[in-house]
Amino acid sequence: APLPPARGDSTGASGGGRPDLFRPTKLQKHVCCGIAPWGEVQALIPEAWNQTAIQEVNCTEISGDMHIKREGTACSYCLCLFQDEVVFPHCCSVRKFGAAGIDQVSGQLYCQKYTPTYSLKTQEVRFCELRYDLYPFAASTAFPRRRLWTCLLVCLPLALLRLLSPDLGPMCTS
């Protein structure tokens, strides 16, 4: 079941249906929590191999091992903020994760491992945990397999060529 609509302005000044903070130029190297157009909590994080690109993660689709990846920890953080009624969009910079201060490029605070929240309904303080520093990206676990296929497709034909044509001499010189 979809979550309730976002609290705060979700239309954005640009009229494009997303808040201004959701434009990629401001999102680079940031974790942002928001409400997707279909009404569910969404995390926007840097891509695994291109830190200036943005990966959109639908937090209701996180399951299993994804909880111990950056996508999962970002969603756990966003869902915690949502439960404590933090106004979305909520963004922080991962350029200097855990450092005190403000990112001079975006004007956003640096992401912290623990963000305190206060619920007006329960009158309780709790800490939303973002352990972005501990976990790899889910996409990065597939990298060694890609490297293996690259080697098979490139190195194997070169090795076969060397075996079939021994008169070529050494393939590498030092």
Side-chain angles (χ1 to χ4, degrees), residues 37 41 76 91-93 95 97 133-134 146 162-164 174:
V41 175
S76 293
C91 297
C92 61
S93 172
R95 284 183 217 277
F97 182 81
D133 57 329
L134 288 183
R146 269 191 233 141
R162 176 77 172 116
L163 286 173
L164 296 174
S174 44

Side-chain angles (χ1 to χ4, degrees), residues 123-145:
Q123 297 182 356
E124 291 180 1
V125 174
R126 76 173 176 163
F127 290 84
C128 294
E129 182 177 32
L130 176 62
R131 295 314 307 263
Y132 193 81
D133 57 329
L134 288 183
Y135 303 122
F137 284 99
S140 65
T141 59
F143 182 70
R145 186 174 294 165

